[in-house]
Amino acid sequence: MLEVKDLCCGYDGVDVVKGVDFKVTRGKNLCIVGPNGCGKSTLLKSIANLLDYRGSITLDSKEVKKLNRKELAKKVALMSQSSAIHFPYTVYETVALGRYAHLKGVFAQLGKEDYEIIEKSLENAGVLDIKDKLISELSGGQLQRVFLARAFAQDPEVILLDEPTNHLDLKCQIEILEYLNKWTKENDKIVVAVLHDLNLVQAFGEEVVIIDAGKIVSDGPPSVVFRDEKLEAVYGIDVKGFMVETLEKWR
């Protein structure tokens, strides 16, 4: 279980996330939604222990901030919106970086199991056919899938995704989210994803939290949360009415 209790964190002494509490059990996914600047990305960074925080973040009852970097890398993978390209690695080399937390010793080499996991991760993210291309030559959508493959290769207990469907076409968005749901179920893992497209959350989300101004204002399954009047207050529009009206245009 991933459990967050009374979490506060931010930048330069100013809290962006304020007293957040939630739990995610193994085999489940959680979608985090809310307007721009409400603290969604900051929340993910704190779970990955990239930001100092107050309160508690535990994975299987172990406090995240007490894990060393290698232990944490085996348990938590973060794919952020600002995944940068620092070196012109190939797709294969980039995905292989996900395995290094599992190597024993500085000079250890990748083994047979590592190579099998890398190949499977490339295939599941739909980038096996471009594994020899340089990542500096890829489109935004291809690059997004490469970083997803690297997270899969890391084989963590929890994958944290910040807008994982950015730059992806509709077919690829659906395939990735379907695979993530399958991955959590088959491997008893956890996915926490920040998503802006509420239709995708409605289709694939199992649990949802709505964040506004750094605080959770509603949580539960999409069927409950998206009928909460707080949804309209947070976004400043009649979300359900807009969605239904748009759907009617497809008829």
Side-chain angles (χ1 to χ4, degrees), residues 116-130:
E116 289 174 352
I117 290 172
I118 293 166
E119 289 282 328
K120 184 178 179 182
S121 300
L122 288 161
E123 182 179 0
N124 289 330
V127 290
L128 184 60
D129 60 329
I130 58 169

Side-chain angles (χ1 to χ4, degrees), residues 54-70:
R54 305 190 310 282
S56 176
I57 304 172
T58 57
L59 179 58
D60 296 333
S61 301
K62 296 179 181 178
E63 187 68 36
V64 165
K65 69 170 59 175
K66 293 183 179 179
L67 299 173
N68 64 43
R69 300 311 301 177
K70 190 168 185 177

Side-chain angles (χ1 to χ4, degrees), residues 12 22 40 52 64 79 86 101 106 122 148 153 162 228 247:
D12 300 322
F22 64 81
K40 302 184 298 296
D52 289 335
V64 165
M79 194 188 86
H86 297 292
V106 177
L122 288 161
L148 275 168
D162 197 352
D228 192 328
L247 180 61

Side-chain angles (χ1 to χ4, degrees), residues 30 206-209 218-225:
L30 172 74
E206 294 176 298
E207 295 291 325
V208 182
V209 298
S218 184
D219 64 279
S223 59
V224 173
V225 171

Side-chain angles (χ1 to χ4, degrees), residues 46-216:
S46 65
I47 296 173
N49 200 28
L50 297 178
L51 285 178
D52 289 335
Y53 62 84
R54 305 190 310 282
S56 176
I57 304 172
T58 57
L59 179 58
D60 296 333
S61 301
K62 296 179 181 178
E63 187 68 36
V64 165
K65 69 170 59 175
K66 293 183 179 179
L67 299 173
N68 64 43
R69 300 311 301 177
K70 190 168 185 177
E71 289 175 322
L72 186 61
K74 290 180 181 179
K75 293 181 178 293
V76 179
L78 169 66
M79 194 188 86
S80 66
Q81 293 183 56
S82 56
S83 297
I85 302 175
H86 297 292
F87 300 100
Y89 291 137
T90 65
V91 168
Y92 191 95
E93 290 168 338
T94 301
V95 175
L97 292 174
R99 296 304 304 159
Y100 284 98
H102 297 271
L103 297 182
K104 298 178 180 179
V106 177
F107 301 106
Q109 299 294 312
L110 295 172
K112 180 181 178 182
E113 182 182 3
D114 298 305
Y115 289 120
E116 289 174 352
I117 290 172
I118 293 166
E119 289 282 328
K120 184 178 179 182
S121 300
L122 288 161
E123 182 179 0
N124 289 330
V127 290
L128 184 60
D129 60 329
I130 58 169
K131 67 178 183 179
D132 296 321
K133 291 190 70 173
L134 295 175
I135 60 172
S136 56
E137 300 172 351
L138 302 183
S139 68
Q142 290 174 320
L143 194 59
Q144 193 82 340
R145 284 184 283 159
V146 170
F147 290 135
L148 275 168
R150 185 176 64 186
F152 294 149
Q154 200 170 324
D155 194 28
E157 303 303 310
V158 179
I159 290 184
L160 307 172
L161 302 170
D162 197 352
E163 283 297 309
T165 56
N166 269 0
H167 308 296
L168 302 181
D169 60 48
L170 183 58
K171 180 176 181 290
C172 191
Q173 290 179 35
I174 293 169
E175 288 174 348
I176 289 295
L177 292 174
E178 284 180 341
Y179 176 73
L180 285 166
N181 271 349
K182 180 182 177 183
W183 180 80
T184 58
K185 300 293 182 294
E186 292 183 350
N187 299 285
D188 209 24
K189 306 281 192 175
I190 292 170
V191 166
V192 179
V194 167
L195 291 171
H196 275 298
D197 190 329
L198 300 186
N199 283 317
L200 291 177
V201 177
Q202 184 77 274
F204 297 102
E206 294 176 298
E207 295 291 325
V208 182
V209 298
I210 301 177
I211 294 182
D212 189 29
K215 298 180 180 181
I216 293 179

